[in-house]
Amino acid sequence: LPEQTRQALQEAFFLFDYDKDGKITSKEIGVIIRSVGLNPTELLLKEMMNEVNSKGGVVDINGLCSVLSAGNRYSTMITTSEELKDSFNVFDKQGNGTLSVADIRHGLVSLGEVLSNEEIDGLFR
């Protein structure tokens, strides 16, 4: 793992280590990983949780970094700028490089996120 990612994970890890024993449960892995900007799929997250569960259900920071580093897990959780542009373009219905509120609303609804007008307006404040 890159040092910057490792440091961010360590900071997040200790925020979730409520009893300060240096370990977290497998259930907290997803929240920690996502809090540092990584985007694991649900399948990958389950795989990592199962790995931790098979070793007692808890993991320390070094164990978490090892679980993330196994195979190509880490690289699959990073969103590249190209992927972000591609995602943006999916919702840019006019093809003009901007997203309207209607575009975003449509995208969210098509993904199953039903938000009120106030909630959508809150995204832009």
Side-chain angles (χ1 to χ4, degrees):
L1 296 176
E3 186 58 32
Q4 184 177 7
T5 301
R6 187 174 173 74
Q7 287 177 348
L9 280 168
Q10 190 163 12
E11 289 172 16
F13 185 94
F14 288 110
L15 288 175
F16 287 91
D17 179 14
Y18 299 116
D19 58 4
K20 304 300 178 207
D21 68 349
K23 296 179 181 175
I24 58 162
T25 67
S26 63
K27 295 176 189 171
E28 297 162 317
I29 291 174
V31 175
I32 292 172
I33 291 171
R34 289 184 176 118
S35 76
V36 299
L38 298 175
N39 299 305
T41 63
E42 287 301 314
L43 181 62
L44 183 57
L45 191 53
K46 273 188 175 177
E47 183 182 299
M48 291 186 292
M49 290 172 65
N50 288 340
E51 184 176 330
V52 170
N53 284 336
S54 73
K55 297 176 182 174
V58 294
V59 66
D60 62 14
I61 185 62
N62 292 325
L64 177 61
C65 290
S66 293
V67 166
L68 282 171
S69 298
N72 65 345
R73 286 178 178 162
Y74 174 75
S75 63
T76 64
M77 290 185 245
I78 300 170
T79 303
T80 66
S81 60
E82 194 61 37
E83 290 170 325
L84 193 54
K85 286 178 192 175
D86 290 344
S87 297
F88 180 89
N89 289 333
V90 166
F91 297 103
D92 180 12
K93 298 298 181 196
Q94 290 78 32
N96 62 4
T98 63
L99 294 179
S100 68
V101 172
D103 291 337
I104 293 172
R105 181 185 319 277
H106 175 75
L108 290 171
V109 169
S110 69
L111 294 171
E113 294 293 332
V114 180
L115 301 175
S116 69
N117 288 337
E118 293 80 26
E119 291 172 315
I120 290 177
D121 290 343
L123 295 172
F124 299 99
R125 287 189 193 133

